[in-house]
Short mmCIF file of all heavy atoms in Angstrom, two decimals:
data_model
loop_
_atom_site.label_atom_id
_atom_site.label_comp_id
_atom_site.label_asym_id
_atom_site.label_seq_id
_atom_site.Cartn_x
_atom_site.Cartn_y
_atom_site.Cartn_z
N TYR A 30 3.95 5.88 -5.57
CA TYR A 30 3.81 6.11 -7.00
C TYR A 30 2.77 7.19 -7.30
O TYR A 30 2.91 7.93 -8.28
CB TYR A 30 3.39 4.82 -7.71
CG TYR A 30 4.47 3.77 -7.78
CD1 TYR A 30 4.16 2.41 -7.68
CD2 TYR A 30 5.80 4.10 -7.94
CE1 TYR A 30 5.15 1.42 -7.75
CE2 TYR A 30 6.80 3.14 -8.00
CZ TYR A 30 6.46 1.80 -7.90
OH TYR A 30 7.44 0.85 -7.96
N PRO A 49 -7.40 31.48 -15.89
CA PRO A 49 -8.28 30.84 -16.90
C PRO A 49 -7.87 31.10 -18.33
O PRO A 49 -8.16 30.30 -19.22
CB PRO A 49 -9.66 31.45 -16.59
CG PRO A 49 -9.36 32.71 -15.84
CD PRO A 49 -8.11 32.46 -15.07
N ALA A 98 -8.80 12.32 -40.91
CA ALA A 98 -9.08 13.04 -42.15
C ALA A 98 -9.65 12.14 -43.24
O ALA A 98 -10.41 12.61 -44.09
CB ALA A 98 -7.81 13.71 -42.65
N ALA A 107 -8.16 7.23 -32.85
CA ALA A 107 -6.98 7.86 -33.47
C ALA A 107 -5.76 7.77 -32.55
O ALA A 107 -4.65 7.49 -33.00
CB ALA A 107 -7.29 9.32 -33.80
N ARG A 128 21.98 -0.48 -32.59
CA ARG A 128 23.33 -1.05 -32.76
C ARG A 128 24.38 0.06 -32.85
O ARG A 128 25.58 -0.20 -32.67
CB ARG A 128 23.38 -1.91 -34.02
CG ARG A 128 22.51 -3.15 -33.96
CD ARG A 128 22.60 -3.96 -35.23
NE ARG A 128 21.65 -5.07 -35.22
CZ ARG A 128 21.87 -6.24 -34.65
NH1 ARG A 128 23.04 -6.47 -34.04
NH2 ARG A 128 20.96 -7.19 -34.67
N ASP A 132 27.86 9.47 -31.94
CA ASP A 132 27.54 10.36 -33.06
C ASP A 132 26.76 9.63 -34.15
O ASP A 132 25.89 10.23 -34.80
CB ASP A 132 28.83 10.93 -33.66
CG ASP A 132 29.57 11.81 -32.68
OD1 ASP A 132 28.95 12.25 -31.69
OD2 ASP A 132 30.77 12.06 -32.90
N LEU A 136 23.23 10.89 -35.64
CA LEU A 136 23.13 11.27 -37.05
C LEU A 136 22.11 10.42 -37.80
O LEU A 136 21.42 10.92 -38.70
CB LEU A 136 24.50 11.17 -37.71
CG LEU A 136 25.52 12.22 -37.25
CD1 LEU A 136 26.87 11.96 -37.87
CD2 LEU A 136 25.04 13.62 -37.59
N MET A 144 14.18 12.37 -43.71
CA MET A 144 13.43 11.49 -44.60
C MET A 144 11.94 11.56 -44.29
O MET A 144 11.10 11.53 -45.21
CB MET A 144 13.94 10.06 -44.45
CG MET A 144 15.34 9.85 -44.99
SD MET A 144 16.05 8.25 -44.50
CE MET A 144 14.89 7.13 -45.27
N THR A 172 -16.85 12.15 -27.82
CA THR A 172 -16.43 10.95 -27.11
C THR A 172 -17.12 10.89 -25.75
O THR A 172 -17.49 11.92 -25.20
CB THR A 172 -14.90 10.94 -26.91
OG1 THR A 172 -14.49 12.20 -26.38
CG2 THR A 172 -14.18 10.70 -28.23
N ASN A 218 29.64 -2.49 -20.89
CA ASN A 218 30.48 -3.69 -20.90
C ASN A 218 30.33 -4.49 -19.61
O ASN A 218 30.33 -5.73 -19.63
CB ASN A 218 31.94 -3.32 -21.13
CG ASN A 218 32.20 -2.84 -22.54
OD1 ASN A 218 31.54 -3.29 -23.48
ND2 ASN A 218 33.15 -1.93 -22.71
N PHE A 255 -5.39 19.90 -36.63
CA PHE A 255 -4.64 20.22 -37.84
C PHE A 255 -3.22 19.69 -37.69
O PHE A 255 -2.63 19.77 -36.61
CB PHE A 255 -4.62 21.73 -38.05
CG PHE A 255 -3.61 22.22 -39.04
CD1 PHE A 255 -3.83 22.03 -40.40
CD2 PHE A 255 -2.45 22.87 -38.64
CE1 PHE A 255 -2.90 22.47 -41.33
CE2 PHE A 255 -1.52 23.33 -39.56
CZ PHE A 255 -1.75 23.13 -40.92
N THR A 288 9.92 21.30 -19.54
CA THR A 288 8.91 21.77 -20.49
C THR A 288 8.33 23.10 -20.06
O THR A 288 8.19 24.03 -20.86
CB THR A 288 7.78 20.73 -20.60
OG1 THR A 288 8.32 19.52 -21.14
CG2 THR A 288 6.68 21.22 -21.51
N PHE A 320 23.78 24.92 -13.04
CA PHE A 320 22.76 24.09 -12.40
C PHE A 320 22.71 22.75 -13.12
O PHE A 320 21.84 22.51 -13.97
CB PHE A 320 21.38 24.77 -12.46
CG PHE A 320 21.39 26.18 -11.95
CD1 PHE A 320 21.46 27.25 -12.84
CD2 PHE A 320 21.34 26.44 -10.60
CE1 PHE A 320 21.46 28.56 -12.38
CE2 PHE A 320 21.34 27.75 -10.12
CZ PHE A 320 21.42 28.81 -11.01
N GLY A 326 16.43 19.53 -10.38
CA GLY A 326 17.54 19.26 -9.48
C GLY A 326 17.78 20.43 -8.53
O GLY A 326 18.08 20.23 -7.35
N GLY A 337 16.93 20.60 5.91
CA GLY A 337 18.07 20.49 6.81
C GLY A 337 18.08 21.57 7.88
O GLY A 337 18.32 21.31 9.06
#
Side-chain angles (χ1 to χ4, degrees):
Y30 289 144
R128 295 180 186 277
D132 296 342
L136 291 175
M144 291 168 62
T172 49
N218 289 328
F255 165 74
T288 297
F320 309 98

